[in-house]
Amino acid sequence: MIAISGEGLTLDQVEAVARGGPEVRGGGVAVRLDEDAAGRVRRSRAALERLLEGADPVYGVNTGFGRLAHVRIARDAQRELQRNMVRSHAAGTGDALPVEEVRAILLLRANALARGQSGCRPVVIERLLELLNHGIHPVVPEVGSVGASGDLAPLAHVALALMGEGRAEAGGVEGDAGELLAAAGIAPLELAEKEGLALVNGTQAVTGIGILAVRRFWRALDVVDVAGAMSLEGLRGTPRPFRAEIHAARPHPGQIASARRLRSLLDRSEIRESHRTGDSRVQDAYSLRCMPQVHGAAREAHAYAHGILATEANSTTDNPLVMPGEDSVLSGGNFHAQLVAQCLDLVAIAAADLAAISERRIDRLLNPDLSGLPAFLSPEPGIRSGLMIVQVAAADALAEMRVLAAPASIDSVSTSASQEDHVSMGMACARKLRRSVALLETVLAAEILCGAQAVEFHRPLRAGAGVERALEVVRDRVPRLDRDRVLAGDIAIVRELVAGGALCNP
């Protein structure tokens, strides 16, 4: 049970609710509105209603939106304004967001409204949570937001389903949102003043997609050390560059953490002991020797993004804000997603660099001039091609990741008749990060396939304890390559292990 209060929602909780589970899909209550938060929401609503009795303009409540903010709306038309706004803003296009991302958006929007600064009634939040608890998910097209003034189109499709309009999904079956609500015993939401604006004006689409992508990236960060350690053993490299004294001399936390993990993964290596003396190499290539520095830089990017997203998940991001203690309404720009967009761009850059160093290790493993192992790690090079094309697949993924690393957050486009003349392009950042992390998982799967094969050429010697545990996980699903076979399935299986966390912390 998670109580939504607008404060303290963690990225772990967001992912847990987004991924769902038997307790959610079976109709059990997984999320509820905190009672204290409900009190704040009621006070905010009461303050707004008092303000509406006066003659002062309140943006988006008794005025139009954007460039139409100068148009005053009569009292008896203010609820119609909210319905019209939701319908007109539900202009998304492209593929529907995955259910997991929609669930993250629902949760985050409910949490933002629970802060009690949006002027909505508690029933609005409760309906969002009912969708989560009943497993009803609005169909939200993925294209249509520039990340300011909030994620208008994606969130409008969410609000549309609450109204019983548009399309939704339940149990893997898409249908009319109103019919799915009725089947679950949920009444369509009749929007009151400001509630349409409160539902669509926020950063929850870019934040929800970003959180899930960054969580996947976090798992990849653990796996990249495993893959690198496996490659180091296969190439008979030295762990000396990972000594604590070296990294204490340049004490970046991410670098120190990666070096520590590499030391742990390589501990008690018989392969290392077999070439401790008599090896003519003075230093390994950078893709091996500089793993803590490169992997650590990605850890720093993740730490930054995690902090930004954790704050954003517990923020009020609509406009205007209703301040119940003052009976005032403040117009601002918290809907602008620049901070989130930039951190997602940073993670996409870090992901591309992790894929780049991983691909270089794959090349060294497969090149007999560099590895001292059979060409392409084939038991019979020539008649058998071994893992030759695995590197080609990784190189293709890396090429796309380098394109995706180009920042979208600097590419502002003026919208809404130049009223919204600087925007974050946050949804573009989130979409490309989602794709980039998926490609990184593929590259790491390719390295692990090659590293596992290379380690086994050194049998009966055993690799470091952590490497051996990871190898057991892989070999439980994918056998050693003794003769050529279709490798697409092998890559897919190991990619699943990478994405699902089975190779984290071996």
Side-chain angles (χ1 to χ4, degrees):
M1 176 73 70
I2 297 174
I4 300 303
S5 66
E7 301 173 350
L9 184 66
T10 69
L11 303 197
D12 286 353
Q13 291 174 323
V14 173
E15 185 176 40
V17 172
R19 302 296 182 203
E23 72 283 1
V24 173
R25 303 301 178 130
V29 176
V31 283
R32 65 173 177 83
L33 179 59
D34 176 80
E35 291 182 8
D36 289 342
R40 289 197 302 270
V41 172
R42 284 190 288 269
R43 289 191 292 274
S44 173
R45 180 67 196 178
L48 177 66
E49 290 178 350
R50 287 192 293 271
L51 288 167
L52 291 178
E53 296 301 320
D56 291 341
V58 179
Y59 172 77
V61 180
N62 57 20
T63 77
F65 305 105
R67 180 67 181 271
L68 302 176
H70 65 283
V71 179
R72 291 298 292 267
I73 308 298
R75 188 72 172 93
D76 61 0
Q78 289 170 10
R79 294 195 172 194
E80 181 183 2
L81 171 71
Q82 301 301 308
R83 295 191 296 271
N84 289 342
M85 189 265 292
V86 169
R87 291 167 181 150
S88 68
H89 284 47
T93 187
D95 295 336
L97 293 178
V99 164
E100 291 79 6
E101 293 177 351
V102 175
R103 291 182 64 80
I105 292 168
L106 290 169
L107 179 67
L108 290 168
R109 194 73 207 118
N111 197 55
L113 296 178
R115 290 178 59 81
Q117 296 169 310
S118 301
C120 69
R121 298 166 295 162
V123 67
V124 176
I125 304 166
E126 290 163 354
R127 290 294 166 78
L128 287 166
L129 300 182
E130 282 185 282
L131 293 190
L132 283 170
N133 291 331
H134 285 84
I136 299 173
H137 310 113
V139 173
V140 180
E142 69 173 6
V143 177
S145 171
V146 295
S149 163
D151 294 316
L152 296 174
L155 293 176
H157 283 276
V158 170
L160 197 66
L162 288 178
M163 293 166 53
E165 302 178 22
R167 306 288 288 176
E169 178 273 349
V173 178
E174 183 179 325
D176 177 80
E179 293 176 1
L180 292 175
L181 290 180
I186 302 172
L189 182 64
E190 294 286 340
L191 296 178
E193 298 84 359
K194 196 185 181 292
E195 289 180 344
L197 185 60
L199 282 165
V200 309
N201 201 210
T203 64
Q204 282 65 48
V206 58
T207 304
I209 298 169
I211 285 173
L212 295 183
V214 168
R215 291 287 295 172
R216 286 173 64 184
F217 180 71
W218 172 71
R219 287 188 283 275
L221 278 172
D222 270 350
V223 175
V224 73
D225 290 331
V226 175
M230 196 175 283
S231 294
L232 184 94
E233 292 281 58
L235 293 165
R236 299 173 78 244
T238 175
R240 285 181 61 84
F242 313 145
R243 286 182 56 160
E245 303 96 309
I246 294 173
H247 305 285
R250 192 197 192 199
H252 294 291
Q255 179 177 326
I256 289 172
S258 285
R260 184 188 307 116
R261 275 183 50 74
L262 287 163
R263 291 195 303 272
S264 175
L265 289 161
L266 296 164
D267 187 43
R268 301 194 301 277
S269 169
E270 294 177 0
I271 295 175
R272 165 58 178 162
E273 293 305 316
S274 73
H275 64 91
R276 184 179 289 275
T277 60
D279 193 335
S280 62
R281 290 175 298 179
V282 177
Q283 293 181 329
D284 288 324
Y286 286 6
S287 60
L288 299 173
R289 190 190 344 155
C290 297
M291 284 192 285
Q293 289 79 7
V294 178
H295 298 184
R299 286 181 176 274
E300 298 287 347
H302 170 266
Y304 172 71
H306 184 281
I308 296 296
L309 293 169
T311 299
E312 193 74 2
N314 294 283
S315 296
T316 307
T317 57
D318 58 299
N319 178 64
L321 302 186
V322 179
M323 314 306 288
E326 307 170 9
D327 272 12
S328 65
V329 173
L330 301 178
S331 287
N334 282 358
F335 49 67
H336 202 297
Q338 193 68 25
L339 195 59
V340 178
Q342 285 183 358
C343 85
L344 299 185
D345 273 342
L346 174 61
V347 176
I349 292 170
D353 198 46
L354 288 183
I357 195 170
S358 176
E359 187 276 333
R360 287 295 79 202
R361 293 192 294 259
I362 295 171
D363 178 69
R364 301 190 78 81
L365 288 163
L366 299 183
N367 186 337
D369 296 331
L370 300 175
S371 69
L373 298 170
F376 306 112
L377 300 175
S378 171
E380 297 181 81
I383 190 173
R384 305 190 195 282
S385 297
L387 295 168
M388 177 191 296
I389 304 304
V390 170
Q391 187 214 356
V392 175
D396 183 21
L398 174 58
E400 184 175 348
M401 290 180 71
R402 285 173 169 153
V403 174
L404 295 170
S409 58
I410 61 171
D411 194 17
S412 176
V413 177
S414 181
T415 60
S416 193
S418 288
Q419 177 74 7
E420 299 162 6
D421 58 353
H422 182 281
V423 298
S424 72
M425 305 308 298
M427 277 293 282
C429 299
R431 289 194 304 269
K432 68 188 185 68
L433 178 58
R434 177 218 290 153
R435 172 66 175 167
S436 185
V437 173
L439 291 168
L440 174 60
E441 292 164 351
T442 296
V443 174
L444 294 179
E447 183 181 1
I448 287 167
L449 277 176
C450 296
Q453 185 82 355
V455 165
E456 290 178 328
F457 275 107
H458 300 301
R459 292 297 189 226
L461 298 176
R462 293 181 63 79
V467 172
E468 287 290 344
R469 287 192 294 270
L471 187 55
E472 288 175 11
V473 173
V474 174
R475 287 292 176 249
D476 185 57
R477 299 285 305 278
V478 178
R480 173 186 166 88
L481 188 68
D482 292 322
R483 60 185 62 202
D484 284 351
R485 62 174 180 260
V486 176
L487 294 172
D490 292 1
I491 296 172
I493 289 170
V494 179
R495 182 184 175 277
E496 180 184 313
L497 296 174
V498 172
L503 290 169
C504 294
N505 299 314

